[in-house]
Amino acid sequence: MPLSKHICLLGFMGAGKSTLAEALAERLNVSWIDSDLWVEQTQQRSIQEIITAFGWPAFRSFEHEFTMSMASREPSVISCGGGFPLAKENWHWISEHCTSIYLKVDVELLYNRLLKNQRSRPLLANLNQESLKSYIASKLMEREAFYERANFIVNGNGTVPETISLLEALI
Ligand code: S3P
């Protein structure tokens, strides 16, 4: 059955949004779009390079441009950068055009995953192992109220097939 709205996966860095969105899109036979990848492709630079060259406010406004680029797209599965839903205008767009799903993952698991690719993430790159864990815990606590506004909350602590089954049950 065709989707009536986009499906938008929200959550913290390392929650598995991109992997799950890609797999879910394949199952549903619709496109997968990642807000970070869209920004990287349109700017022809990595997120790290964008932050270094232009700073965070510019990156956040590129993220917002992503919502405008979606106006002409068929309903798709979208993985959103971890900070994307925090901006009021992005949240407004999500609530109007998407079925939103928060992938809720425990701090311990996020930490174990992020430890492996910390360097490629500008918010985490300069933290040592000890401060990485406390940063994740406090940032997640700060953001969770935003993520929890999603239409659905799904436990993302399981394997990809387990989480996909949970997601499919909602759609
Ligand atoms: C960010 C998350 C990243 C990326 C940027 C900022 C955040 O995306 O958009 O580094 O503020 O949480 P992922 O959640 O896909 O890693």
Side-chain angles (χ1 to χ4, degrees):
M1 202 172 60
L3 295 174
S4 58
K5 281 178 158 191
H6 301 302
I7 295 171
C8 197
L9 299 190
L10 312 178
F12 204 76
M13 291 172 275
K17 298 172 298 250
S18 309
T19 308
L20 289 159
E22 188 175 11
L24 185 63
E26 195 176 318
R27 292 283 189 100
L28 299 174
N29 203 19
V30 297
S31 318
W32 161 57
I33 306 166
D34 183 272
S35 66
D36 286 339
L37 279 180
W38 183 88
V39 170
E40 290 184 325
Q41 280 161 5
T42 52
Q43 293 303 313
Q44 308 256 297
R45 297 171 197 241
S46 68
I47 308 262
Q48 181 69 72
E49 287 166 347
I50 293 170
I51 305 300
T52 308
F54 309 121
W56 281 102
F59 172 69
R60 296 302 181 197
S61 76
F62 296 145
E63 279 187 312
H64 184 60
E65 283 173 24
F66 166 75
T67 65
M68 298 178 228
S69 80
M70 290 301 294
S72 55
R73 306 282 297 244
E74 294 284 303
S76 309
V77 182
I78 305 171
S79 35
C80 293
F84 180 90
L86 276 70
K88 205 172 164 187
E89 61 278 18
N90 294 347
W91 184 260
H92 190 74
W93 177 80
I94 291 171
S95 18
E96 207 163 315
H97 298 282
C98 307
T99 299
S100 53
I101 304 174
Y102 169 33
L103 281 171
K104 192 174 166 96
V105 175
D106 293 344
V107 170
E108 196 64 32
L109 185 53
L110 291 173
Y111 170 71
N112 288 329
R113 288 182 185 167
L114 290 168
L115 204 48
K116 291 178 203 140
N117 53 22
Q118 179 187 354
R119 302 285 161 231
S120 62
R121 297 174 196 264
L123 282 176
L124 312 177
N126 299 323
L127 301 172
N128 62 32
Q129 274 196 28
E130 251 325 291
S131 38
L132 176 64
K133 196 169 200 170
S134 52
Y135 179 86
I136 294 169
S138 70
K139 205 71 179 167
L140 182 61
M141 200 187 284
E142 185 187 306
R143 289 180 168 185
E144 201 144 42
F146 289 91
Y147 296 151
E148 286 182 346
R149 290 189 204 158
N151 298 122
F152 300 101
I153 300 178
V154 159
N155 181 337
N157 291 302
T159 61
V160 170
E162 282 164 357
T163 313
I164 288 288
S165 306
L166 297 175
L167 291 169
E168 280 185 319
L170 295 176
I171 295 154

